[in-house]
Amino acid sequence: MEMVAHDADSVPAAVGGYTNGLEVIRARRLLFVSGQIPEDRDGNVPDDAAAQCRLIWANIVGTLAHTGLTVANIVKVTTYLSDRSLAAANTAVRTEVLGDHKPALTVVLAGIFNPQWLLEIEVIAAA
């Protein structure tokens, strides 16, 4: 499988750790990871946004690993934030986890199911 980033000069620059378009060539597998929540297996929810985001990414990484994939296989991230003020923490943690990998990205302000949860993240991975 090959991934090719497409950031055309005719569209706004992709800033914040993503690419405007990500082409996946010769993929044989797609994994759709449901929206992951900031809870551990015992139902504990951290209080602050960065800790919630790290826990969500740990849940995503665990799901990917279960299928033999890594964050390098992620082609699309959709993040649902309960408040715009969480954007900086979300971006910082996502950048920590993904490093130089820049998948396609959407961030949505939304009402989150549980009021303790500040955000929820879903991904699509390909191999």
Side-chain angles (χ1 to χ4, degrees), residues 49 53 57 79 81 86-95 105 107 119 121:
C53 198
W57 277 106
T79 302
L81 300 177
L86 305 169
N90 172 60
T91 299
V93 174
R94 185 183 63 247
T95 301
L105 172 69
V107 178
L119 67 162
I121 302 171

Side-chain angles (χ1 to χ4, degrees), residues 40-126:
D40 63 19
R41 288 191 52 91
D42 296 323
N44 299 310
V45 178
D47 291 330
D48 69 276
Q52 286 196 15
C53 198
R54 283 187 183 89
L55 181 53
I56 288 171
W57 277 106
N59 292 341
I60 291 169
V61 168
T63 301
L64 291 169
H66 182 77
T67 66
L69 302 177
T70 71
V71 295
N73 295 100
I74 295 173
V75 296
K76 176 73 166 91
V77 177
T78 303
T79 302
Y80 302 92
L81 300 177
S82 63
D83 190 271
R84 184 173 272 111
S85 66
L86 305 169
N90 172 60
T91 299
V93 174
R94 185 183 63 247
T95 301
E96 284 175 22
V97 174
L98 298 182
D100 292 334
H101 182 56
K102 296 180 179 179
L105 172 69
T106 301
V107 178
V108 180
L109 292 176
I112 306 294
F113 181 76
N114 183 324
Q116 284 186 290
W117 306 340
L118 301 176
L119 67 162
E120 185 173 335
I121 302 171
E122 64 183 22
V123 303
I124 301 171

Side-chain angles (χ1 to χ4, degrees), residues 5-43:
H6 294 282
D7 290 302
D9 292 337
S10 61
V11 300
V15 295
Y18 69 98
T19 187
N20 281 308
L22 188 66
E23 182 178 9
V24 179
I25 302 167
R26 291 182 298 280
R28 297 181 323 177
R29 295 173 59 198
L30 286 176
L31 174 67
F32 296 83
V33 179
S34 295
Q36 295 298 295
I37 59 173
E39 286 189 12
D40 63 19
R41 288 191 52 91
D42 296 323

